[in-house]
Amino acid sequence: MDECNAKPNCQSFTIYLDSFAQRSHKESVEESERILNRLLDLHVNGQLEFEPDVVCWTTVIRGYTRLAKKRRVAAEKANKLLDKMINMYDEGQITVKADNIVYQSVFNAHCNAGFMYDAERIL
């Protein structure tokens, strides 16, 4: 890659995250979250040339949304990612805000898990 100055960017990592999140298995979705968390750590420490965007976050959350149909705990993991996103934004660590798609994905995760009270809270 050095020969042509190709560098990973936000889009390439989103594709990489999605390759794990699309599998809808507990281990693969958790791996996509670990990768996102690593990217965030690198960004916060100034070691990454880009900031993970809302699509990166949504990709992992939607993995948990799909998984919530089989594993109810996945809805809570989606919610924790939303909370982390909000907290990091509020603390000035990231500039990416949760958008309607992020909220809808977490809402759907709670619906898929049958947690209607939590889904209503997201509304």
Side-chain angles (χ1 to χ4, degrees):
M1 279 202 212
D2 291 336
E3 295 172 3
C4 59
N5 288 330
K7 294 181 188 178
N9 59 24
C10 193
Q11 185 177 14
S12 62
F13 271 103
T14 301
I15 294 166
Y16 186 58
L17 290 169
D18 196 42
S19 70
F20 288 99
Q22 284 287 332
R23 294 182 191 158
S24 298
H25 293 101
K26 177 183 178 284
E27 295 80 14
S28 61
V29 178
E30 287 174 345
E31 180 63 18
S32 70
E33 183 179 6
R34 278 190 290 277
I35 295 165
L36 175 62
N37 286 331
R38 181 71 176 132
L39 291 172
L40 291 168
D41 289 343
L42 290 170
H43 168 71
V44 168
N45 292 324
Q47 298 173 320
L48 193 62
E49 293 181 15
F50 62 88
E51 178 180 5
D53 64 10
V54 71
V55 179
C56 287
W57 288 86
T58 305
T59 298
V60 178
I61 289 170
R62 283 194 167 174
Y64 282 123
T65 299
R66 285 186 294 278
L67 188 59
K69 293 175 185 176
K70 296 186 275 185
R71 294 180 174 264
R72 297 176 75 181
V73 70
E76 185 56 36
K77 290 187 175 202
N79 204 100
K80 284 183 181 181
L81 271 176
L82 171 62
D83 290 344
K84 180 176 183 166
M85 185 181 203
I86 292 168
N87 290 335
M88 289 183 80
Y89 177 81
D90 288 347
E91 293 170 2
Q93 294 178 313
I94 60 173
T95 61
V96 177
K97 288 177 75 170
D99 64 7
N100 289 339
I101 296 170
V102 171
Y103 281 102
Q104 181 181 4
S105 298
V106 175
F107 172 83
N108 288 339
H110 288 298
C111 289
N112 288 347
F115 298 147
M116 300 327 251
Y117 174 79
D118 291 319
E120 184 178 349
R121 182 181 47 80
I122 296 296
L123 277 178

PDB file of all heavy atoms in Angstrom, residues 57-79:
ATOM      1  N   TRP A  57     -20.804   4.272  13.554  1.00  0.00           N
ATOM      2  CA  TRP A  57     -21.591   3.984  14.747  1.00  0.00           C
ATOM      3  C   TRP A  57     -22.864   3.202  14.384  1.00  0.00           C
ATOM      4  O   TRP A  57     -23.196   2.207  15.023  1.00  0.00           O
ATOM      5  CB  TRP A  57     -21.982   5.288  15.449  1.00  0.00           C
ATOM      6  CG  TRP A  57     -20.878   6.001  16.142  1.00  0.00           C
ATOM      7  CD1 TRP A  57     -20.013   6.896  15.593  1.00  0.00           C
ATOM      8  CD2 TRP A  57     -20.529   5.900  17.526  1.00  0.00           C
ATOM      9  NE1 TRP A  57     -19.152   7.361  16.558  1.00  0.00           N
ATOM     10  CE2 TRP A  57     -19.447   6.776  17.755  1.00  0.00           C
ATOM     11  CE3 TRP A  57     -21.044   5.165  18.595  1.00  0.00           C
ATOM     12  CZ2 TRP A  57     -18.867   6.928  19.002  1.00  0.00           C
ATOM     13  CZ3 TRP A  57     -20.457   5.335  19.840  1.00  0.00           C
ATOM     14  CH2 TRP A  57     -19.379   6.194  20.032  1.00  0.00           C
ATOM     15  N   THR A  58     -23.565   3.682  13.358  1.00  0.00           N
ATOM     16  CA  THR A  58     -24.830   3.061  12.957  1.00  0.00           C
ATOM     17  C   THR A  58     -24.612   1.628  12.485  1.00  0.00           C
ATOM     18  O   THR A  58     -25.435   0.753  12.751  1.00  0.00           O
ATOM     19  CB  THR A  58     -25.514   3.889  11.854  1.00  0.00           C
ATOM     20  OG1 THR A  58     -25.663   5.231  12.317  1.00  0.00           O
ATOM     21  CG2 THR A  58     -26.878   3.332  11.502  1.00  0.00           C
ATOM     22  N   THR A  59     -23.525   1.383  11.814  1.00  0.00           N
ATOM     23  CA  THR A  59     -23.228   0.036  11.317  1.00  0.00           C
ATOM     24  C   THR A  59     -23.160  -0.958  12.470  1.00  0.00           C
ATOM     25  O   THR A  59     -23.756  -2.044  12.408  1.00  0.00           O
ATOM     26  CB  THR A  59     -21.900   0.046  10.532  1.00  0.00           C
ATOM     27  OG1 THR A  59     -22.044   0.912   9.403  1.00  0.00           O
ATOM     28  CG2 THR A  59     -21.507  -1.339  10.077  1.00  0.00           C
ATOM     29  N   VAL A  60     -22.472  -0.594  13.523  1.00  0.00           N
ATOM     30  CA  VAL A  60     -22.351  -1.490  14.681  1.00  0.00           C
ATOM     31  C   VAL A  60     -23.694  -1.605  15.413  1.00  0.00           C
ATOM     32  O   VAL A  60     -24.132  -2.705  15.765  1.00  0.00           O
ATOM     33  CB  VAL A  60     -21.243  -1.002  15.637  1.00  0.00           C
ATOM     34  CG1 VAL A  60     -21.151  -1.907  16.860  1.00  0.00           C
ATOM     35  CG2 VAL A  60     -19.898  -0.948  14.908  1.00  0.00           C
ATOM     36  N   ILE A  61     -24.365  -0.482  15.600  1.00  0.00           N
ATOM     37  CA  ILE A  61     -25.660  -0.508  16.292  1.00  0.00           C
ATOM     38  C   ILE A  61     -26.667  -1.361  15.528  1.00  0.00           C
ATOM     39  O   ILE A  61     -27.407  -2.142  16.129  1.00  0.00           O
ATOM     40  CB  ILE A  61     -26.178   0.929  16.514  1.00  0.00           C
ATOM     41  CG1 ILE A  61     -25.316   1.624  17.578  1.00  0.00           C
ATOM     42  CG2 ILE A  61     -27.651   0.933  16.920  1.00  0.00           C
ATOM     43  CD1 ILE A  61     -25.575   3.109  17.726  1.00  0.00           C
ATOM     44  N   ARG A  62     -26.670  -1.256  14.222  1.00  0.00           N
ATOM     45  CA  ARG A  62     -27.603  -2.077  13.427  1.00  0.00           C
ATOM     46  C   ARG A  62     -27.254  -3.569  13.496  1.00  0.00           C
ATOM     47  O   ARG A  62     -28.127  -4.412  13.381  1.00  0.00           O
ATOM     48  CB  ARG A  62     -27.649  -1.588  11.990  1.00  0.00           C
ATOM     49  CG  ARG A  62     -28.467  -0.334  11.868  1.00  0.00           C
ATOM     50  CD  ARG A  62     -28.799  -0.036  10.453  1.00  0.00           C
ATOM     51  NE  ARG A  62     -29.832   0.979  10.399  1.00  0.00           N
ATOM     52  CZ  ARG A  62     -30.245   1.523   9.289  1.00  0.00           C
ATOM     53  NH1 ARG A  62     -29.727   1.160   8.127  1.00  0.00           N
ATOM     54  NH2 ARG A  62     -31.185   2.448   9.302  1.00  0.00           N
ATOM     55  N   GLY A  63     -25.988  -3.864  13.687  1.00  0.00           N
ATOM     56  CA  GLY A  63     -25.623  -5.263  13.923  1.00  0.00           C
ATOM     57  C   GLY A  63     -26.306  -5.778  15.184  1.00  0.00           C
ATOM     58  O   GLY A  63     -26.857  -6.883  15.208  1.00  0.00           O
ATOM     59  N   TYR A  64     -26.285  -4.963  16.240  1.00  0.00           N
ATOM     60  CA  TYR A  64     -26.978  -5.338  17.478  1.00  0.00           C
ATOM     61  C   TYR A  64     -28.490  -5.355  17.292  1.00  0.00           C
ATOM     62  O   TYR A  64     -29.177  -6.174  17.895  1.00  0.00           O
ATOM     63  CB  TYR A  64     -26.578  -4.410  18.623  1.00  0.00           C
ATOM     64  CG  TYR A  64     -25.233  -4.738  19.221  1.00  0.00           C
ATOM     65  CD1 TYR A  64     -24.225  -3.796  19.277  1.00  0.00           C
ATOM     66  CD2 TYR A  64     -24.974  -6.011  19.729  1.00  0.00           C
ATOM     67  CE1 TYR A  64     -22.989  -4.102  19.833  1.00  0.00           C
ATOM     68  CE2 TYR A  64     -23.740  -6.323  20.277  1.00  0.00           C
ATOM     69  CZ  TYR A  64     -22.752  -5.362  20.323  1.00  0.00           C
ATOM     70  OH  TYR A  64     -21.532  -5.680  20.870  1.00  0.00           O
ATOM     71  N   THR A  65     -29.007  -4.474  16.447  1.00  0.00           N
ATOM     72  CA  THR A  65     -30.446  -4.462  16.183  1.00  0.00           C
ATOM     73  C   THR A  65     -30.890  -5.793  15.578  1.00  0.00           C
ATOM     74  O   THR A  65     -31.893  -6.372  16.007  1.00  0.00           O
ATOM     75  CB  THR A  65     -30.803  -3.300  15.229  1.00  0.00           C
ATOM     76  OG1 THR A  65     -30.447  -2.069  15.850  1.00  0.00           O
ATOM     77  CG2 THR A  65     -32.282  -3.285  14.897  1.00  0.00           C
ATOM     78  N   ARG A  66     -30.148  -6.273  14.615  1.00  0.00           N
ATOM     79  CA  ARG A  66     -30.478  -7.575  14.002  1.00  0.00           C
ATOM     80  C   ARG A  66     -30.312  -8.702  15.018  1.00  0.00           C
ATOM     81  O   ARG A  66     -31.126  -9.622  15.088  1.00  0.00           O
ATOM     82  CB  ARG A  66     -29.600  -7.822  12.778  1.00  0.00           C
ATOM     83  CG  ARG A  66     -29.996  -7.020  11.561  1.00  0.00           C
ATOM     84  CD  ARG A  66     -29.185  -7.409  10.332  1.00  0.00           C
ATOM     85  NE  ARG A  66     -27.767  -7.076  10.475  1.00  0.00           N
ATOM     86  CZ  ARG A  66     -27.261  -5.869  10.262  1.00  0.00           C
ATOM     87  NH1 ARG A  66     -28.035  -4.876   9.913  1.00  0.00           N
ATOM     88  NH2 ARG A  66     -25.970  -5.654  10.396  1.00  0.00           N
ATOM     89  N   LEU A  67     -29.260  -8.632  15.795  1.00  0.00           N
ATOM     90  CA  LEU A  67     -28.969  -9.679  16.775  1.00  0.00           C
ATOM     91  C   LEU A  67     -30.029  -9.729  17.878  1.00  0.00           C
ATOM     92  O   LEU A  67     -30.276 -10.789  18.455  1.00  0.00           O
ATOM     93  CB  LEU A  67     -27.579  -9.450  17.372  1.00  0.00           C
ATOM     94  CG  LEU A  67     -27.010 -10.525  18.282  1.00  0.00           C
ATOM     95  CD1 LEU A  67     -26.898 -11.863  17.555  1.00  0.00           C
ATOM     96  CD2 LEU A  67     -25.656 -10.082  18.809  1.00  0.00           C
ATOM     97  N   ALA A  68     -30.679  -8.609  18.162  1.00  0.00           N
ATOM     98  CA  ALA A  68     -31.677  -8.542  19.236  1.00  0.00           C
ATOM     99  C   ALA A  68     -32.868  -9.463  18.977  1.00  0.00           C
ATOM    100  O   ALA A  68     -33.583  -9.830  19.914  1.00  0.00           O
ATOM    101  CB  ALA A  68     -32.153  -7.103  19.433  1.00  0.00           C
ATOM    102  N   LYS A  69     -33.074  -9.872  17.741  1.00  0.00           N
ATOM    103  CA  LYS A  69     -34.151 -10.824  17.433  1.00  0.00           C
ATOM    104  C   LYS A  69     -33.868 -12.180  18.063  1.00  0.00           C
ATOM    105  O   LYS A  69     -34.785 -12.906  18.412  1.00  0.00           O
ATOM    106  CB  LYS A  69     -34.309 -10.990  15.913  1.00  0.00           C
ATOM    107  CG  LYS A  69     -34.808  -9.749  15.226  1.00  0.00           C
ATOM    108  CD  LYS A  69     -34.835  -9.941  13.726  1.00  0.00           C
ATOM    109  CE  LYS A  69     -35.229  -8.645  13.033  1.00  0.00           C
ATOM    110  NZ  LYS A  69     -35.175  -8.776  11.580  1.00  0.00           N
ATOM    111  N   LYS A  70     -32.573 -12.518  18.187  1.00  0.00           N
ATOM    112  CA  LYS A  70     -32.164 -13.808  18.746  1.00  0.00           C
ATOM    113  C   LYS A  70     -31.665 -13.689  20.178  1.00  0.00           C
ATOM    114  O   LYS A  70     -31.814 -14.615  20.969  1.00  0.00           O
ATOM    115  CB  LYS A  70     -31.043 -14.423  17.897  1.00  0.00           C
ATOM    116  CG  LYS A  70     -31.431 -14.761  16.481  1.00  0.00           C
ATOM    117  CD  LYS A  70     -30.318 -15.491  15.762  1.00  0.00           C
ATOM    118  CE  LYS A  70     -29.342 -14.503  15.172  1.00  0.00           C
ATOM    119  NZ  LYS A  70     -28.300 -15.118  14.363  1.00  0.00           N
ATOM    120  N   ARG A  71     -31.039 -12.573  20.494  1.00  0.00           N
ATOM    121  CA  ARG A  71     -30.439 -12.362  21.817  1.00  0.00           C
ATOM    122  C   ARG A  71     -30.901 -11.018  22.348  1.00  0.00           C
ATOM    123  O   ARG A  71     -30.456  -9.975  21.885  1.00  0.00           O
ATOM    124  CB  ARG A  71     -28.912 -12.390  21.725  1.00  0.00           C
ATOM    125  CG  ARG A  71     -28.359 -13.731  21.351  1.00  0.00           C
ATOM    126  CD  ARG A  71     -26.840 -13.633  21.281  1.00  0.00           C
ATOM    127  NE  ARG A  71     -26.245 -14.915  21.056  1.00  0.00           N
ATOM    128  CZ  ARG A  71     -25.771 -15.691  22.019  1.00  0.00           C
ATOM    129  NH1 ARG A  71     -25.810 -15.301  23.261  1.00  0.00           N
ATOM    130  NH2 ARG A  71     -25.234 -16.856  21.723  1.00  0.00           N
ATOM    131  N   ARG A  72     -31.753 -11.070  23.326  1.00  0.00           N
ATOM    132  CA  ARG A  72     -32.369  -9.849  23.842  1.00  0.00           C
ATOM    133  C   ARG A  72     -31.353  -8.869  24.421  1.00  0.00           C
ATOM    134  O   ARG A  72     -31.545  -7.663  24.363  1.00  0.00           O
ATOM    135  CB  ARG A  72     -33.409 -10.212  24.889  1.00  0.00           C
ATOM    136  CG  ARG A  72     -34.557 -11.031  24.290  1.00  0.00           C
ATOM    137  CD  ARG A  72     -35.530 -11.478  25.323  1.00  0.00           C
ATOM    138  NE  ARG A  72     -36.333 -10.323  25.713  1.00  0.00           N
ATOM    139  CZ  ARG A  72     -37.280 -10.363  26.618  1.00  0.00           C
ATOM    140  NH1 ARG A  72     -37.558 -11.482  27.236  1.00  0.00           N
ATOM    141  NH2 ARG A  72     -37.963  -9.283  26.922  1.00  0.00           N
ATOM    142  N   VAL A  73     -30.251  -9.376  24.944  1.00  0.00           N
ATOM    143  CA  VAL A  73     -29.231  -8.514  25.541  1.00  0.00           C
ATOM    144  C   VAL A  73     -28.604  -7.576  24.500  1.00  0.00           C
ATOM    145  O   VAL A  73     -28.069  -6.533  24.850  1.00  0.00           O
ATOM    146  CB  VAL A  73     -28.152  -9.357  26.263  1.00  0.00           C
ATOM    147  CG1 VAL A  73     -27.301 -10.128  25.277  1.00  0.00           C
ATOM    148  CG2 VAL A  73     -27.303  -8.488  27.168  1.00  0.00           C
ATOM    149  N   ALA A  74     -28.730  -7.913  23.229  1.00  0.00           N
ATOM    150  CA  ALA A  74     -28.164  -7.077  22.172  1.00  0.00           C
ATOM    151  C   ALA A  74     -28.821  -5.694  22.138  1.00  0.00           C
ATOM    152  O   ALA A  74     -28.177  -4.711  21.781  1.00  0.00           O
ATOM    153  CB  ALA A  74     -28.307  -7.770  20.817  1.00  0.00           C
ATOM    154  N   ALA A  75     -30.081  -5.610  22.533  1.00  0.00           N
ATOM    155  CA  ALA A  75     -30.756  -4.310  22.573  1.00  0.00           C
ATOM    156  C   ALA A  75     -30.072  -3.390  23.582  1.00  0.00           C
ATOM    157  O   ALA A  75     -29.890  -2.194  23.324  1.00  0.00           O
ATOM    158  CB  ALA A  75     -32.231  -4.489  22.921  1.00  0.00           C
ATOM    159  N   GLU A  76     -29.697  -3.936  24.700  1.00  0.00           N
ATOM    160  CA  GLU A  76     -29.007  -3.129  25.711  1.00  0.00           C
ATOM    161  C   GLU A  76     -27.628  -2.698  25.218  1.00  0.00           C
ATOM    162  O   GLU A  76     -27.172  -1.589  25.501  1.00  0.00           O
ATOM    163  CB  GLU A  76     -28.881  -3.901  27.023  1.00  0.00           C
ATOM    164  CG  GLU A  76     -28.301  -3.096  28.152  1.00  0.00           C
ATOM    165  CD  GLU A  76     -29.057  -1.794  28.446  1.00  0.00           C
ATOM    166  OE1 GLU A  76     -30.291  -1.764  28.341  1.00  0.00           O
ATOM    167  OE2 GLU A  76     -28.386  -0.797  28.781  1.00  0.00           O
ATOM    168  N   LYS A  77     -26.964  -3.562  24.456  1.00  0.00           N
ATOM    169  CA  LYS A  77     -25.653  -3.194  23.914  1.00  0.00           C
ATOM    170  C   LYS A  77     -25.788  -2.062  22.900  1.00  0.00           C
ATOM    171  O   LYS A  77     -24.951  -1.159  22.867  1.00  0.00           O
ATOM    172  CB  LYS A  77     -24.969  -4.409  23.306  1.00  0.00           C
ATOM    173  CG  LYS A  77     -24.531  -5.406  24.365  1.00  0.00           C
ATOM    174  CD  LYS A  77     -23.721  -6.522  23.776  1.00  0.00           C
ATOM    175  CE  LYS A  77     -23.219  -7.416  24.902  1.00  0.00           C
ATOM    176  NZ  LYS A  77     -22.057  -8.184  24.486  1.00  0.00           N
ATOM    177  N   ALA A  78     -26.846  -2.103  22.103  1.00  0.00           N
ATOM    178  CA  ALA A  78     -27.106  -1.003  21.166  1.00  0.00           C
ATOM    179  C   ALA A  78     -27.347   0.290  21.931  1.00  0.00           C
ATOM    180  O   ALA A  78     -26.844   1.355  21.562  1.00  0.00           O
ATOM    181  CB  ALA A  78     -28.301  -1.335  20.279  1.00  0.00           C
ATOM    182  N   ASN A  79     -28.107   0.186  23.013  1.00  0.00           N
ATOM    183  CA  ASN A  79     -28.403   1.358  23.831  1.00  0.00           C
ATOM    184  C   ASN A  79     -27.139   1.919  24.484  1.00  0.00           C
ATOM    185  O   ASN A  79     -26.950   3.136  24.569  1.00  0.00           O
ATOM    186  CB  ASN A  79     -29.430   0.998  24.904  1.00  0.00           C
ATOM    187  CG  ASN A  79     -30.199   2.197  25.372  1.00  0.00           C
ATOM    188  OD1 ASN A  79     -31.320   2.404  24.941  1.00  0.00           O
ATOM    189  ND2 ASN A  79     -29.618   2.987  26.254  1.00  0.00           N
TER     190      ASN A  79
END
